[in-house]
Amino acid sequence: MNTEKIDISSALNLDCAKEAEKIAAKITDTVSSFKRQGVIVALSGGIDSSVVGALCVHALGKDRVFGLLMPEKDSSPETLRLSSLIADSLGINKHHEDITAVLEAVGCYRWRNDAIRQVVPEYTDDSKCKIVLPTVTDDNRLRIFSVVVELPDGRQIKKRLSSQAYLDILAASNFKQRVRKMFEYFHADRLNYAVTGTPNRQEYDQGFFVKLGDGAADLKPIAHLYKTQVYQMAEFLGVPEDIRKRPPTTDTYSMPQSQEEFYFSVPYEKMDYCMYGLNHGINPGQVGEQIELTAEQVQRVYNDIQNKRNTTKYLHMPPVLMDDVAEIDKV
C-alpha cells in the first residue's frame, strides 16, 4: 500500500478545458473513423447523459447530435422535463419516445410484478416498488436485496428477496435498457449516426449497466471520468443547474431510488475516494480520514469494488468464438 500522504480531493480535480478538448478530439476522430455523420445521445435528464450530450455538441456541433428522450410509466416526472431542458439548452434536435407500450407488450411489468408477488402477495399492479441493498460500510454480512413496496392505501412493506424473485425482477427491469438501446440504434441507422454510451467511471468499472442495453454503444466519452469529475465537467460545459442539482438515480423503479441504495452502497463522493484509493494503492486508513469512514469501513468498500469487478467481468467481454476467424482479425 502507498503510505505517501495524498490529497484525493486535489487528485480528482480536473483541468476541464484541457479534458474537454481531448474528449472532443477523440469523439470527432471516432465518428469519422466509423464513417458516421453524427451521434445519438439518450438523454435521461441526469448528469452523465447531459455531459455526454454537451461534449458531443462541443466536438461535432449541435446539428450533428440527436437527443432521444425515452421515459416510461415508472420514470420520475422530472425525467422528461430535465431531458428536454438539456436538449433545448444544447440546441439539438430531439425526439420523445415513450416506451411504456413496448415494455407492456414484451411483459416487462407483468414479469416484474409476478416476481414481487412471490415475496409480497399483497402487491398489486398499481402498487409502487423498488429494490434495495444494505450499506456495505455497516458490517461484513452477506448483502441481500430486499423489495420495498408501497400499496395503493399508502402502506409500505419491505421483504427480503429470494434468489429467484431477485433474478426475475432484474431480468424484467433490464427490458427497459434494452428497449431504449433498440430505439437508439434505429435512429442511428436512419441517420447514419453512431450511438454514444453514457456511463461514468464508477458505472463502467463496477458493471452498473445492462449488457446489450445501456452497456451497448459505439463510443463512451466519459467512462474514464470519476463521478465527481463528471460534475466538474457539467459546470464547465454549462449544464443547467437543475440537472446538476438532481441526485443520482436509477430511474428504473416506480418508487424514488438512489444509485447508492440500489448498487453502490455508499454516496458517489465517497465511492470516488475509495475507488481512487484502491486504484492507486492508498492505505484504507488514509482514505477514511478524508471521508469520515474508518479504515475497516474503507476496506469493506475496497473489497466490494473488487468483488463487483470480478462478478461483472463478463459484461465487458465480447462474444467468445469457438475458433479464430483470421480474415476478420486482420481487418
Side-chain angles (χ1 to χ4, degrees):
M1 283 288 178
N2 188 350
T3 57
E4 178 189 354
K5 187 69 174 179
I6 297 175
D7 180 357
I8 298 178
S9 177
S10 296
L12 289 172
N13 277 340
L14 198 62
D15 183 336
C16 292
K18 182 178 179 180
E19 187 66 26
E21 292 306 317
K22 184 186 82 171
I23 294 172
K26 187 67 174 178
I27 290 171
T28 302
D29 290 346
T30 301
V31 172
S32 176
S33 70
F34 290 164
K35 295 180 169 50
R36 295 296 183 264
Q37 302 302 311
V39 294
I40 302 292
V41 183
L43 298 170
S44 67
I47 196 73
D48 297 316
S49 63
S50 297
V51 167
V52 169
L55 285 167
C56 288
V57 168
H58 183 62
L60 304 170
K62 63 184 180 63
D63 293 334
R64 297 175 63 194
V65 180
F66 188 79
L68 277 178
L69 289 54
M70 295 177 286
E72 43 92 21
K73 70 177 186 179
D74 289 335
S75 299
S76 163
E78 286 288 271
T79 296
L80 184 57
R81 181 181 76 84
L82 294 177
S83 55
S84 296
L85 175 63
I86 184 61
D88 293 342
S89 173
L90 295 174
I92 62 175
N93 289 325
K94 66 179 188 291
H95 175 73
H96 172 208
E97 185 79 49
D98 191 310
I99 64 171
T100 301
V102 179
L103 294 173
E104 287 175 337
V106 297
C108 169
Y109 307 115
R110 172 173 52 81
W111 276 99
R112 182 199 63 194
N113 294 351
D114 287 348
I116 292 173
R117 278 190 280 269
Q118 293 178 35
V119 293
V120 185
E122 306 96 316
Y123 187 81
T124 62
D125 287 351
D126 55 351
S127 299
K128 296 182 178 181
C129 67
K130 64 180 176 180
I131 61 176
V132 298
L133 271 176
T135 178
V136 71
T137 56
D138 282 352
D139 51 47
N140 287 317
R141 63 178 169 162
L142 179 65
R143 296 186 301 135
I144 298 175
F145 274 98
S146 295
V147 64
V148 180
V149 306
E150 184 178 289
L151 302 178
D153 62 9
R155 283 185 298 143
Q156 286 197 5
I157 300 172
K158 181 178 180 181
K159 290 285 186 68
R160 180 176 291 189
L161 286 169
S162 67
S163 176
Q164 191 58 60
Y166 163 71
L167 289 173
D168 286 352
I169 292 170
L170 184 66
S173 300
N174 287 350
F175 270 126
K176 299 182 180 185
Q177 307 305 334
R178 292 187 172 118
V179 166
R180 289 189 175 105
K181 195 57 63 171
M182 176 182 70
F183 278 110
E184 289 175 53
Y185 273 99
F186 164 73
H187 288 284
D189 288 347
R190 75 178 187 83
L191 295 170
N192 194 33
Y193 278 14
V195 170
T196 61
T198 62
N200 59 62
R201 191 183 193 119
Q202 286 186 14
E203 295 169 342
Y204 184 75
D205 182 302
Q206 296 290 277
F208 186 50
F209 56 84
V210 176
K211 193 164 190 175
L212 300 182
D214 55 337
D218 301 314
L219 62 157
K220 298 181 178 181
I222 61 170
H224 63 294
L225 296 182
Y226 290 89
K227 185 79 171 183
T228 48
Q229 294 175 329
V230 176
Y231 277 96
Q232 293 171 39
M233 288 295 293
E235 185 172 3
F236 171 76
L237 293 166
V239 170
E241 186 178 7
D242 278 6
I243 294 171
R244 289 188 277 121
K245 288 166 51 180
R246 187 187 194 187
T249 174
T250 64
D251 202 35
T252 297
Y253 297 92
S254 50
M255 294 180 70
Q257 179 188 54
S258 68
Q259 292 183 348
E260 174 187 346
E261 65 181 344
F262 175 72
Y263 196 77
F264 293 111
S265 299
V266 291
Y268 76 84
E269 303 98 324
K270 293 185 178 183
M271 174 59 79
D272 269 0
Y273 274 68
C274 291
M275 185 173 286
Y276 185 91
L278 179 60
N279 290 347
H280 293 83
I282 302 174
N283 185 283
Q286 187 185 149
V287 175
E289 289 174 0
Q290 299 181 53
I291 55 175
E292 299 181 344
L293 291 178
T294 66
E296 183 181 12
Q297 288 174 318
V298 172
Q299 186 61 56
R300 289 192 196 117
V301 179
Y302 277 14
N303 294 342
D304 189 59
I305 290 171
Q306 194 57 57
N307 181 60
K308 285 189 172 76
R309 285 173 176 170
N310 293 337
T311 57
T312 64
K313 182 179 179 180
Y314 90 100
L315 295 176
H316 294 277
M317 295 173 62
V320 177
L321 304 184
M322 301 302 101
D323 203 348
D324 293 337
V325 183
E327 295 78 8
I328 297 300
D329 293 339
K330 292 176 183 176
V331 174

